[in-house]
Amino acid sequence: MCFSATGNTRGVARALAGAIGADYLEIEPEQPYTEHDLDYDDETTRATVEQRDGTARPGIASAMPEWGDYDVILFGHPIWWETVPRIMCTLFEQNAAALAGKRLADFCTSGGSGIGRATDELKGIVPDAEWGVGRRFEASASAEEVAAWAQGLGF
Ligand SMILES: Cc1cc2nc3c(=O)[nH]c(=O)nc-3n(C[C@H](O)[C@H](O)[C@H](O)COP(=O)(O)O)c2cc1C
């Protein structure tokens, strides 16, 4: 599953799904992010305001999968202000019971920040799952590189 505002993580996630033969599902916000919403040089724009508000939970428009059909779920997302976009918290909180007990891992693209804080935030919402070690990728990562990470998770 993937949330991507500007396409970088989408490209990596689609390449991964193709390489390992996984289903691909995109997490679409109820209110799409405009270019202005994503301008992190302006402290008043939507994404920055949401990230500063630990309780912000932007709505999700996409239908959720039949969770029971999946044992392993990999989540792709960008890094926003060193952590997950708040919509990932919406996803995890709304589906915490369904995700418990599954094998989960996250991957990201970013301008350089690592994935550690993001993974910890998601783990904190669904601690009772088997968590693989997350990984940051460049937007230009090859399908082989991302697939090697997924296959190395031990799931
Ligand atoms: C609101 C916002 C905050 C960001 N904060 C960070 C950050 O803290 N560290 C970083 O390395 N990149 C940061 N970025 C850059 C994105 O993580 C990067 O461009 C990512 O590849 C975007 O993925 P996407 O195209 O799938 O949305 C930020 C981008 C946005 C829009």
Side-chain angles (χ1 to χ4, degrees):
M1 294 182 80
C2 169
F3 168 69
S4 178
T6 55
N8 292 342
T9 316
R10 179 182 301 119
V12 169
R14 283 205 170 133
L16 171 62
I20 65 172
D23 292 343
Y24 173 84
L25 191 142
E26 192 138 330
I27 301 152
E28 283 159 20
E30 273 170 5
Q31 190 189 341
Y33 289 87
T34 65
E35 201 175 321
H36 178 67
D37 288 340
L38 299 170
D39 179 2
Y40 50 83
D41 289 327
D42 178 344
E43 301 204 344
T44 68
T45 51
R46 178 181 165 204
T48 300
V49 170
E50 285 177 1
Q51 293 308 107
R52 292 219 169 133
D53 175 3
T55 66
R57 295 293 181 267
I60 295 172
S62 346
M64 290 296 109
E66 282 297 330
W67 296 113
D69 292 347
Y70 300 95
D71 177 45
V72 174
I73 309 170
L74 307 178
F75 297 90
H77 57 77
I79 297 293
W80 283 4
W81 295 108
E82 300 292 331
T83 189
V84 277
R86 297 282 179 226
I87 196 168
M88 295 300 296
C89 302
T90 311
L91 177 76
F92 271 64
E93 286 178 2
Q94 288 182 350
N95 298 284
L99 293 173
K102 296 195 186 293
R103 297 167 174 198
L104 311 178
D106 70 326
F107 61 97
C108 72
T109 65
S110 76
S113 298
I115 198 168
R117 223 184 108 189
T119 304
D120 286 349
E121 191 142 349
L122 298 178
K123 265 189 198 172
I125 302 172
V126 182
D128 44 358
E130 186 182 338
W131 277 91
V133 178
R135 173 81 66 84
R136 171 193 177 265
F137 294 100
E138 296 288 343
S140 60
S142 68
E144 291 73 23
E145 184 186 357
V146 191
W149 164 73
Q151 282 152 357
L153 287 167
F155 287 164

